[in-house]
Amino acid sequence: MNWQQTIEQLETGSVRSAYQDESGNWQANVDAKQAILAAFKAGENAEFNGAYPGFVDKANLPPRQFKVEDKVRLVPGGSSVRRGAYVAPGVIIMPPAYINIGAFVDTGTMVDSHALIGSCAQVGKNVHVSAAVQIGGVLEPVGAKPVIIEDEVFLSAGVVIVEGIVVKKGAVIAPGVSLSASVPVYDCVNQKMLEKGAAIPERAVVVPGTRPVKGDWGSDLGLTMACALIVKYRDEKSDASLTLESLLR
């Protein structure tokens, strides 16, 4: 399969840059990511005129153009969806926002202002991506797993999720939380610390926290480092935004 076919299939959603294996674990689609890299290699820089005057990028990877029949609402004001990204019917994109190549955004999801969905990131159904959310992307190494946001997740303003973190179905991430392979996550409900880089469990409510810096010097100065705290688990009927609001009041 050549890169042209793969890019088209990524746009239709028939191929994804990450997938769930038989055990339900997410894996990178190495072939798809290699095709994306081949597309970059094959492309020559060109000036984009018409709808994109003054921009220079790979001529074979222009921003996507949507039509009414696509049932995607892309509000004017500086947003862009790159070629090779899938955006399902029913998605709303508020300006300015950016969805990069290889990303997958499923139906019913809201992408709010100043939000980034990075290359190959996977976002499920009915996800709320609030203002200034940063969902990290990854192309190389090709075996590296992208960030995965499963169905019904609520990402509050200013959330940053990088380094292949998986957020499981129905989780709620409070404003300002940063999740990466190096940020410890403490489950206050079950009184345990998650393994580094572990998935955020289903319906977990995660808020920002701090932990003391080790050593006498840091302790004497009262220094702390960022962490994340699971403070509650939603039941299946609870509303994500109301659950979060009640916890933060």
Side-chain angles (χ1 to χ4, degrees):
M1 183 183 300
N2 58 33
W3 66 260
Q4 292 95 331
Q5 290 175 313
T6 302
I7 294 297
E8 291 171 2
Q9 290 173 334
L10 286 167
E11 286 185 5
T12 63
S14 59
V15 167
R16 296 176 64 166
S17 51
Y19 64 94
Q20 279 184 295
D21 61 23
E22 294 179 355
S23 301
N25 297 316
W26 285 91
Q27 307 291 341
N29 184 340
V30 173
D31 291 339
K33 293 176 75 175
Q34 286 176 332
I36 292 170
L37 293 171
F40 280 113
K41 186 176 180 180
E44 297 288 341
N45 282 343
E47 297 176 7
F48 284 84
N49 296 311
Y52 302 97
F55 287 90
V56 175
D57 196 7
K58 300 290 186 178
N60 58 338
L61 298 173
R64 291 194 58 188
Q65 299 287 311
F66 293 97
K67 299 177 181 179
V68 173
E69 51 264 36
D70 295 321
K71 299 180 181 179
V72 172
R73 183 180 167 206
L74 178 60
V75 179
S79 297
S80 184
V81 177
R82 202 171 197 182
R83 273 211 73 192
Y86 173 73
V87 180
V91 171
I92 298 173
I93 305 169
M94 300 301 291
Y98 188 69
I99 300 175
N100 209 345
I101 190 168
F104 183 100
V105 183
D106 216 337
T107 185
T109 287
M110 158 72 82
V111 181
D112 214 334
S113 304
H114 297 280
L116 166 69
I117 298 176
S119 53
C120 300
Q122 307 288 295
V123 179
K125 294 179 174 66
N126 303 318
V127 173
H128 190 99
V129 182
S130 298
V133 167
Q134 305 290 293
I135 299 174
V138 61
L139 282 174
E140 294 183 288
V142 291
K145 181 181 66 183
V147 171
I148 309 291
I149 310 297
E150 294 189 354
D151 298 348
E152 312 288 342
V153 167
F154 192 100
L155 302 178
S156 303
V159 164
V160 177
I161 305 177
V162 295
E163 296 181 344
I165 294 295
V166 176
V167 180
K168 303 293 282 184
K169 183 177 179 179
V172 179
I173 314 298
V177 170
S178 293
L179 297 173
S180 73
S182 60
V183 173
V185 180
Y186 296 90
D187 187 337
C188 300
V189 178
N190 295 305
Q191 299 183 7
K192 66 178 183 179
M193 178 180 173
L194 302 189
E195 294 182 9
K196 285 189 175 181
I200 299 301
E202 288 191 12
R203 296 191 293 277
V205 180
V206 186
V207 303
T210 59
R211 59 193 173 109
V213 171
K214 293 181 179 179
D216 293 340
W217 184 80
S219 178
D220 291 343
L221 292 174
L223 301 180
T224 59
M225 298 176 64
C227 66
L229 308 175
I230 298 174
V231 293
K232 179 181 173 67
Y233 284 87
R234 298 168 52 211
D235 61 46
E236 294 184 3
K237 296 181 180 179
S238 62
D239 179 84
S241 59
L242 294 179
T243 298
L244 182 60
E245 183 179 355
S246 65
L247 280 168
L248 296 178
R249 284 184 179 276

